[in-house]
Amino acid sequence: SQKIEQNSEALNIQEGKTATLTCNYTNYSPAYLQWYRQDPGRGPVFLLLIRENEKEKRKERLKVTFDTTLKQSLFHITASQPADSATYLCALSDSGTYKYIFGTGTRLKVLA
Amino acid sequence: GAVVSQHPSRVICKSGTSVKIECRSLDFQATTMFWYRQFPKQSLMLMATSNEGSKATYEQGVEKDKFLINHASLTLSTLTVTSAHPEDSSFYICSARGRVDTGELFFGEGSRLTVL
């Protein structure tokens, strides 16, 4: 069955450092991979989308890579700030269906 | 980005009653909306896909008679939890497709259901 794993349940880093979150998947060939931020008691907020034929995407301090050979995506937040503390979810979808399967998330805490 | 509004954000009801949750796309037409359920410290589980003007498609293990979904217009989908029981208490979240072929998905703020 399809499986998505995010590297760790929780990650603490010091302010100003780069946070790197990992999303690995098995038994799946997604066309789209997305990263979301979710704060407690709130719905997910879309951050970045990367397609199967793209290697890297950037948006301000965020960078996503997508390696379909390794079946892995890396999500980087550079110059991290305490306000970046949240749970980050990766989600994968087939082309055309928009039926996204979500990972369990990584709780990031940026320490001042 | 596209805005999806969900209402109510919190609802408490007695066991055996039915609860309706609304999901609206405010600034775009959503031909497809999705309903998710999320338990504490767990990920989002897709419950059903809602297409405007047709019956919803439910994921395996989701009772369609328990979770009634209606997508009557291009901007509104509703989820009704019928004869709610304490085990139905959860965080319910809807999402909608953005512009065609972008792959983007936009989420509502979620609705916290507590069944006493």
Side-chain angles (χ1 to χ4, degrees), chain A residues 36 38 42 99-100 102-103, chain B residues 38 43 59 97 103 105 109:
Chain A
Y36 288 84
Q38 187 175 26
R42 309 290 293 273
K99 285 177 63 173
Y100 280 89
F102 281 79
Chain B
Q38 187 176 33
S43 191
E59 295 299 304
R97 285 177 58 166
L105 204 57
E109 286 290 331

Side-chain angles (χ1 to χ4, degrees), chain B residues 40-52:
Chain B
K41 296 189 177 181
Q42 292 189 26
S43 191
L44 282 73
M45 298 297 296
L46 180 64
M47 297 174 66
T49 303
S50 167
N51 292 298
E52 187 267 338

Side-chain angles (χ1 to χ4, degrees), chain B residues 25-92:
Chain B
S25 56
L26 297 186
D27 52 359
F28 68 102
Q29 293 182 331
T31 54
T32 305
M33 289 184 173
F34 303 88
W35 287 94
Y36 293 81
R37 183 173 182 177
Q38 187 176 33
F39 290 106
K41 296 189 177 181
Q42 292 189 26
S43 191
L44 282 73
M45 298 297 296
L46 180 64
M47 297 174 66
T49 303
S50 167
N51 292 298
E52 187 267 338
S54 63
K55 289 184 179 179
T57 305
Y58 290 81
E59 295 299 304
Q60 192 173 9
V62 177
E63 298 176 59
K64 60 182 180 182
D65 294 330
K66 174 75 169 175
F67 300 100
L68 299 179
I69 291 171
N70 183 274
H71 195 155
S73 76
L74 286 171
T75 59
L76 174 65
S77 176
T78 60
L79 167 68
T80 301
V81 182
T82 62
S83 186
H85 288 94
E87 57 266 30
D88 298 325
S89 299
S90 188
F91 193 50
Y92 293 89

Side-chain angles (χ1 to χ4, degrees), chain A residues 11 13 37-40 77 80-88 107-112:
Chain A
L11 178 66
I13 63 165
R37 168 183 174 140
Q38 187 175 26
D39 291 288
I77 306 175
S80 60
Q81 305 164 3
D84 294 327
S85 299
T87 294
Y88 291 86
R107 276 198 321 278
L108 174 68
K109 187 169 183 179
V110 180
L111 306 169

